[in-house]
Amino acid sequence: MTDKTLPLIGITSSLHISRDVGMQSVTHFYLDAVKRYMGFPAILIPAGLAPEVAISRLDGILLTGSRSNVHPSHYGQTPTPAHEPFDEARDATTLPLIRAAIAADIPVLAICRGYQELNVACGGSLYSAVHELPDRLDHREPKDPPNQDVRFGANHAVHFPEDSTLRTIIGAELAQVNSLHNQAIDKLGDNLRIEATAPDGTIEAIRHTKARFCLGVQWHPEHQPDNNTTSQPLFTAFKTALLKN
């Protein structure tokens, strides 16, 4: 941990367009979760920041979700409309940042797009539309949900393998999670281990085996933290790793 009173968390931001002006931002859910469960200061990591600069000043990294997807050129595929939308400036920042964080053994918690970035950064690949695969669930968010509780509510179960780190963290074999993604892991990246699966076999969580703390989940633990049984354990484990950094 760097010489500060409390650990400093870097939170990845995404490009949003407001009134024809590009903005780097993050939803308040991530900030609320960090405040509620960790109580640590956090700053946004803007696109274009050199990874060595971020690593030199940060004690942990929270990789956030986004409506955009990792550009398929980063895992050897040709882009199609199914892969869109993109945020290539974010890709150019997060992928080298993840590799630098792992090399420096800085704790990482990756969520949704961040989880997919972690897999790609480690040499893995993605399915562009998991719901189009045979015998797979529809993992996309509900169409025209009547309210936010339905949109972010539990969608399916995930199973934690018996010897997984996540089973220890969550304290259970199964958990109900929300689901708001089109893409999913195809080929698993180097040194990554499966930490959770959906009933249809979709990989829902991964861990980097060479890092002290580097976890990724496909669902959104920052949403509905009072009802999401994975929220507090995940953020608490991240906090513990930061305090040991």
Side-chain angles (χ1 to χ4, degrees):
M1 188 170 63
T2 54
D3 186 20
K4 297 184 289 291
T5 303
L6 291 173
L8 179 63
I9 301 170
I11 301 179
T12 53
S13 59
S14 299
L15 175 65
H16 295 279
I17 305 298
S18 177
R19 297 181 181 179
D20 298 323
V21 176
M23 305 175 67
Q24 290 290 321
S25 63
V26 64
T27 66
H28 72 276
F29 295 107
Y30 298 101
L31 304 177
D32 285 350
V34 168
K35 178 181 177 182
R36 176 182 298 208
Y37 294 125
M38 306 180 72
F40 293 162
I43 60 172
L44 297 189
I45 301 174
L49 184 66
E52 60 271 17
V53 174
I55 294 301
S56 70
R57 302 296 298 271
L58 298 174
D59 301 300
I61 294 172
L62 176 61
L63 298 165
T64 62
S66 173
R67 289 191 177 276
S68 66
N69 297 313
V70 179
H71 197 280
S73 62
H74 292 292
Y75 50 93
Q77 294 186 14
T78 301
T80 69
H83 293 97
E84 298 176 357
F86 302 129
D87 185 347
E88 295 186 66
R90 171 166 168 158
D91 295 342
T93 300
T94 55
L95 297 179
L97 178 65
I98 290 167
R99 299 182 188 110
I102 291 170
D105 205 20
I106 290 176
V108 174
L109 178 60
I111 295 172
C112 197
R113 188 199 207 269
Y115 157 89
Q116 295 169 3
E117 289 170 336
L118 172 58
N119 188 60
V120 171
C122 293
S125 64
L126 305 172
Y127 293 118
S128 62
V130 66
H131 52 279
E132 295 180 355
L133 298 175
D135 302 319
R136 295 294 183 102
L137 299 171
D138 190 341
H139 290 259
R140 295 172 293 179
E141 67 178 86
K143 292 183 179 180
D144 301 317
N147 54 57
Q148 296 299 301
D149 287 340
V150 173
R151 181 186 179 196
F152 299 123
N155 180 277
H156 62 74
V158 291
H159 173 263
F160 308 114
E162 185 174 357
D163 56 349
S164 66
T165 296
L166 265 182
R167 182 183 282 208
T168 301
I169 289 173
I170 305 301
E173 178 182 355
L174 298 169
Q176 295 293 322
V177 301
N178 52 34
S179 189
L180 297 92
H181 61 102
N182 296 330
Q183 299 194 315
I185 287 178
D186 177 9
K187 174 192 170 186
L188 195 64
D190 298 335
N191 298 313
L192 294 178
R193 174 200 163 114
I194 297 173
E195 287 281 319
T197 55
D200 62 357
T202 298
I203 300 171
E204 289 280 332
I206 53 178
R207 175 176 62 87
H208 198 285
T209 60
K210 303 297 184 182
R212 182 167 49 85
F213 186 94
C214 184
L215 280 172
V217 298
Q218 182 63 83
W219 65 91
H220 285 267
E222 80 282 3
H223 285 305
Q224 294 184 313
D226 292 332
N227 300 318
N228 191 329
T229 59
T230 71
S231 297
Q232 182 171 348
L234 272 172
F235 283 100
T236 298
F238 187 32
K239 176 179 180 178
T240 300
L242 284 166
L243 290 172
K244 292 180 179 178
N245 198 27

